[in-house]
Amino acid sequence: MKVDTLITNIGQLLTMDKKGPVKGGDMNDLTVMEGAAVATENGKIVWIGSAEKAVNIQADKTIDAEGRLVTPGLVEPHTHLVFGGSREEEMALKQQGVPYLEILKQGGGILSTVNATREASYDDLLEKALFHLDRMVMHGITTVEAKSGYGLDKQTELKQLQVTKEANVKHPLDIVSTFMGAHAIPPEYKEDPEAFLGLMSELFEEIKEKNLAEFVDIFTETGVFSVEQSRRYLKKAKEKGFGLKIHADEIDQLGGTELAVEVGAISGEHLAVASDNGIKQLASSNTIGVILPGTVFYLGKDTYPRARKMIDEGAAVAVSTDFNPGSSVTENLQLIMSIAALKLKLTPAEIWHAVTVNAAHAIGRGHEAGTIATGRMADLVIWDAPNYMYIPYHYGVNHANTVIKNGEVLYKRGEIR
């Protein structure tokens, strides 16, 4: 066999080769290949086997993994990638215990970012997004979801989505776009949130026509949008052919988890205060719970999502950074994996499922990302780690040694692209 690239002398290989999202106790069913090798051709995986058998393969390029761990590229299922400015001045308020909703009322929080995003030029937003994508690559991410939601008007929401679309062309990472115009209520619509939702729903046609987003998301929360408002809005989006997502039960327990299941959302996200009934419904549905422990950590809260209960009851769970400028300012999904172990009490096997195969299914990419299998995209990470348990164990640093996207090396320690 003649191939483009052969990765050999792999210490542990996690293929994560599952046909669908992995639920409940099956998230501990981890297949580990020792002493493995992987061959790629034209950006695809064409052979997986033992390093011993790989000696018969001729390759234009051979990468010696030197006994390291190799996994699929990480999949990041929840980010707010495109935004203007930053909000470092809010850290002192958080340290004083000022609640996020109070910061929001004072014109801070998301509204501060909205103003900065409205004022930022298209080119500045694109440059900034590409910078953050490079950071994600360095930490082993090869596929990422990106939400809008920092415009809260037609012009800026479209600008964000157009930036996301161009970033997907200019950057080698695969980006899945989500329209989240219903992220907050802008001051000019404070007394009439229904009118604002109507304004955002007017964009559905243009977004679909220009292929600017696959999913529609909404923030169901006290002071933002009610369950009933969210239900009507999401049903309109579904009628226009969008997949559905929902920011659910992040701060107050309103029944957003139950709504995510009811409307057939591909994912319910945050779920920090999901009810027992919500978790039960999630476990019996095809909706994936996207858990964001970094947000709880960064905001200094004590109530983490009950991911342990979700998995024990049979739900499919994914884990994400929630990268954004206000409540989770990190592109390092590895750090979030450690928080998932320490605060959510997830096992290493569950964590790996949560950042690969389940995360891919949570953004509609389960057929191409998050697994290592013949015929799949050659999205791989070689880690400076001897085994899969080491990554969440050794926290706060970058373990990625080499990141490969579609068969091409995007990052090698000390280098990028």
Side-chain angles (χ1 to χ4, degrees), residues 59-130:
D60 294 334
K61 179 181 180 181
T62 298
I63 298 175
D64 187 350
E66 299 180 338
R68 295 182 174 92
L69 169 72
V70 174
T71 73
L74 303 183
V75 179
E76 172 54 273
H78 180 126
T79 80
H80 299 263
L81 174 68
V82 179
F83 60 88
S86 60
R87 283 154 48 188
E88 59 272 21
E89 70 282 353
E90 289 180 15
M91 180 169 276
L93 295 176
K94 295 185 180 83
Q95 289 171 333
Q96 294 165 23
V98 179
Y100 173 75
L101 292 178
E102 181 59 34
I103 294 174
L104 189 65
K105 287 180 182 178
Q106 296 175 14
I110 186 175
L111 297 180
S112 171
T113 300
V114 167
N115 290 332
T117 306
R118 287 177 176 179
E119 293 172 3
S121 71
Y122 180 95
D123 288 343
D124 285 346
L125 290 176
L126 178 61
E127 181 181 1
K128 195 170 189 296
L130 293 174

Side-chain angles (χ1 to χ4, degrees), residues 24 49 52 159 162 202 256 363 389 395:
E52 292 178 355
K159 179 172 67 172
Q162 288 160 348
E202 288 174 6
I363 57 174
M389 295 178 287
Y395 77 99

Side-chain angles (χ1 to χ4, degrees), residues 19-214:
K19 293 182 179 179
V22 185
K23 304 182 73 172
D26 289 341
M27 289 181 68
N28 272 300
D29 182 13
L30 197 64
T31 301
V32 180
M33 293 180 63
E34 306 277 354
V38 176
T40 73
E41 176 78 12
N42 295 325
K44 302 283 187 180
I45 297 166
V46 295
W47 181 87
I48 303 168
S50 70
E52 292 178 355
K53 292 183 179 178
V55 296
N56 298 316
I57 296 176
Q58 294 181 330
D60 294 334
K61 179 181 180 181
T62 298
I63 298 175
D64 187 350
E66 299 180 338
R68 295 182 174 92
L69 169 72
V70 174
T71 73
L74 303 183
V75 179
E76 172 54 273
H78 180 126
T79 80
H80 299 263
L81 174 68
V82 179
F83 60 88
S86 60
R87 283 154 48 188
E88 59 272 21
E89 70 282 353
E90 289 180 15
M91 180 169 276
L93 295 176
K94 295 185 180 83
Q95 289 171 333
Q96 294 165 23
V98 179
Y100 173 75
L101 292 178
E102 181 59 34
I103 294 174
L104 189 65
K105 287 180 182 178
Q106 296 175 14
I110 186 175
L111 297 180
S112 171
T113 300
V114 167
N115 290 332
T117 306
R118 287 177 176 179
E119 293 172 3
S121 71
Y122 180 95
D123 288 343
D124 285 346
L125 290 176
L126 178 61
E127 181 181 1
K128 195 170 189 296
L130 293 174
F131 171 82
H132 292 304
L133 289 168
D134 279 351
R135 279 243 181 104
M136 291 179 185
V137 169
M138 292 170 63
H139 288 90
I141 294 167
T142 53
T143 302
V144 58
E145 185 252 18
K147 302 178 191 293
S148 69
Y150 289 127
L152 306 185
D153 62 22
K154 287 186 174 182
Q155 179 181 352
T156 314
E157 287 294 321
L158 290 174
K159 179 172 67 172
Q160 280 189 270
L161 294 174
Q162 288 160 348
V163 166
T164 299
K165 186 172 183 177
E166 184 167 352
N168 191 36
V169 172
K170 289 195 168 182
H171 200 281
L173 261 65
D174 287 319
I175 305 174
V176 176
S177 180
T178 295
F179 171 52
M180 199 180 175
H183 195 187
I185 303 170
E188 57 268 33
Y189 284 91
K190 186 176 180 181
E191 303 304 322
D192 196 355
E194 288 288 351
F196 175 68
L197 287 178
L199 184 74
M200 291 298 98
S201 64
E202 288 174 6
L203 289 174
F204 290 165
E205 194 98 23
E206 183 173 356
I207 291 168
K208 178 61 71 172
E209 183 180 314
K210 294 181 178 178
N211 194 28
L212 294 176
E214 289 182 45

Side-chain angles (χ1 to χ4, degrees), residues 236-370:
K236 286 182 183 178
K238 192 171 186 177
E239 289 170 359
K240 292 295 184 180
F242 291 99
L244 306 182
K245 292 176 167 287
I246 179 171
H247 276 50
D249 292 330
E250 178 184 0
I251 301 170
D252 291 334
Q253 191 181 98
L254 300 183
T257 306
E258 291 90 333
L259 179 62
V261 173
E262 175 192 329
V263 299
I266 196 170
S267 61
E269 312 192 357
H270 283 289
L271 312 187
V273 294
S275 68
D276 288 346
N277 182 55
I279 290 173
K280 183 178 180 180
Q281 289 190 30
L282 186 71
S284 62
S285 74
N286 294 321
T287 300
I288 297 172
V290 177
I291 306 304
L292 312 170
T295 305
V296 181
F297 171 81
Y298 189 79
L299 293 177
K301 296 187 175 183
D302 298 320
T303 304
Y304 282 84
R306 292 186 291 168
R308 176 77 274 141
K309 181 176 176 64
M310 293 175 193
I311 293 172
D312 290 346
E313 293 208 7
V317 167
V319 171
S320 173
T321 61
D322 187 20
F323 171 64
N324 73 82
S327 61
S328 189
V329 197
T330 182
E331 301 95 333
N332 186 355
L333 187 52
Q334 297 168 50
L335 174 60
I336 306 305
M337 292 168 71
S338 295
I339 296 174
L342 296 170
K343 296 297 185 180
L344 304 182
K345 309 303 180 186
L346 300 193
T347 68
E350 290 167 342
I351 292 167
W352 279 106
H353 280 100
V355 297
T356 57
V357 59
N358 280 6
H361 281 283
I363 57 174
R365 290 298 184 274
H367 60 292
E368 59 187 43

